[in-house]
Amino acid sequence: MKIGVFDSGIGGLIISHALSDRLPEYDYMYFGDTARAPYGNRSQETIYEYSRQAVAFLFQQDCSLVIIACNTASAEALRRLQQEWLPSHFPDRNILGVLIPAAESAVSKTHGHIGVLATASTVESKAFEREIHKLRPEMRITQQAAPLLVPLIENDGQRFASPIIEAYVAPLRDTGIDTLVLGCTHYPLLKNEIQAALPEVTLICQDETIPASLANYLERHPERQATLSQNGGRRFCVTDLTRSVQQAARMLYGQDVQFEVLTLE
Ligand code: DGL
């Protein structure tokens, strides 16, 4: 069986590529809901419903495990999917998100004050706060929504990023954070620019934390690992394919991606 990787769109290709690098032997199936992306400004109910459909599709395609690479979907839908939906629909499968590994990495590195940069929905959900406080209740956390960064990256606008990044990180800098979680699929592409704006701050990047966390999970769960086929297969599905999706995918994945286009019921 395969490892499914779900994202609202194509930003999750960064995680997908990082997983392929770290654990190349497994078979992966990527699903990006490009017809309905971005999710970052949608309501919780909508994000839950879209995520449920996507995860069900990946399970029907013989994925044993689905990683919700999208922070917004991890924040707004993962807990409910795991607790209310999975046990009655796919009791032998599992779903993992991207918030907990980032939260764990942040608490292991911080001196006490963590910043979170994410989409508006993720910030409003307070899901990062919840996960960090579960690990270390005394942590100080300052969140900042950065809604312009996803469209900027998808439109190849990194060269315009500096003043926008500065506007988002200035309030964080003023609060004195020492560690910053890049809590959105796309932000690893702006790692250098964000680090330049916050040179003293430790960045938590999910293209580093998620592969390490999956490797660790599979080691701790040999029964899950045993269900996974190891033929190095890669499939990429989207719900809408345009020239700009294809171009952005090349930039995010680092090479051309052959997509299958499908419709969800
Ligand atoms: N994938 C989303 C996330 O990580 C960003 C794009 C969106 O808003 O759908 O939060």
Side-chain angles (χ1 to χ4, degrees):
M1 295 173 93
K2 297 185 276 285
I3 299 175
V5 179
F6 159 55
D7 182 40
S8 56
I10 47 175
L13 287 170
I14 297 176
I15 303 292
S16 188
H17 187 261
L19 290 172
S20 284
D21 262 1
R22 171 78 191 248
L23 299 163
E25 63 276 28
Y26 294 107
D27 295 320
Y28 293 91
M29 179 157 184
Y30 183 85
F31 176 84
D33 193 7
T34 47
R36 302 188 293 198
Y39 287 6
N41 295 309
R42 294 194 186 275
S43 69
Q44 179 173 33
E45 200 48 43
T46 298
I47 294 166
Y48 173 77
E49 187 48 30
Y50 288 177
S51 304
R52 190 192 61 72
Q53 291 170 6
V55 173
F57 169 79
L58 285 166
F59 285 152
Q60 283 152 9
Q61 296 294 312
D62 210 29
C63 291
S64 171
L65 173 69
V66 169
I67 296 164
I68 299 190
C70 178
N71 287 265
T72 305
S74 292
E76 297 281 37
L78 178 63
R79 255 197 335 172
R80 196 169 144 201
L81 285 171
Q82 284 172 329
Q83 289 170 6
E84 294 174 21
W85 179 79
L86 192 65
S88 51
H89 290 81
F90 294 93
D92 60 334
R93 314 289 175 93
N94 203 6
I95 314 173
L96 302 174
V98 287
L99 266 48
I100 294 174
E104 286 172 347
S105 177
V107 300
S108 75
K109 302 217 163 114
T110 186
H111 300 296
H113 190 177
I114 299 170
V116 176
L117 200 65
T119 65
S121 299
T122 301
V123 166
E124 272 161 39
S125 75
K126 296 198 166 60
F128 269 115
E129 280 188 22
R130 194 176 59 230
E131 296 305 340
I132 293 168
H133 280 150
K134 259 193 230 161
L135 298 165
R136 297 272 297 277
E138 75 281 12
M139 283 292 132
R140 225 182 126 195
I141 301 165
T142 306
Q143 298 199 91
Q144 173 69 47
L148 290 178
L149 296 185
V150 167
L152 189 81
I153 292 167
E154 290 197 355
N155 292 289
D156 205 12
Q158 277 92 319
R159 63 191 179 283
F160 306 114
S162 289
I164 299 172
I165 289 174
E166 180 52 30
Y168 290 139
V169 305
L172 291 171
R173 188 190 295 123
D174 293 347
T175 62
I177 58 161
D178 60 70
T179 301
L180 177 64
V181 176
L182 302 188
C184 174
T185 44
H186 294 57
Y187 300 172
L189 278 193
L190 293 174
K191 212 182 276 189
N192 294 340
E193 290 83 347
I194 295 171
Q195 188 72 78
L198 294 170
E200 311 293 324
V201 167
T202 304
L203 298 187
I204 307 299
C205 301
Q206 291 173 331
D207 58 338
E208 294 158 25
T209 53
I210 304 307
S213 160
L214 180 62
N216 180 276
Y217 169 85
L218 293 175
E219 257 174 54
R220 285 183 294 110
H221 294 274
E223 75 296 348
R224 178 67 54 196
Q225 200 268 348
T227 66
L228 299 173
S229 49
Q230 303 193 22
N231 303 309
R234 308 284 182 264
R235 275 182 73 189
F236 299 91
C237 300
V238 285
T239 47
D240 190 24
L241 186 58
T242 59
R243 190 201 296 254
S244 73
V245 163
Q246 194 75 66
Q247 279 171 353
R250 186 179 313 127
M251 183 212 359
L252 296 160
Y253 196 70
Q255 65 192 70
D256 262 331
V257 180
Q258 293 300 321
F259 286 112
E260 299 163 43
V261 184
L262 52 95
T263 321
L264 288 182
E265 295 96 63

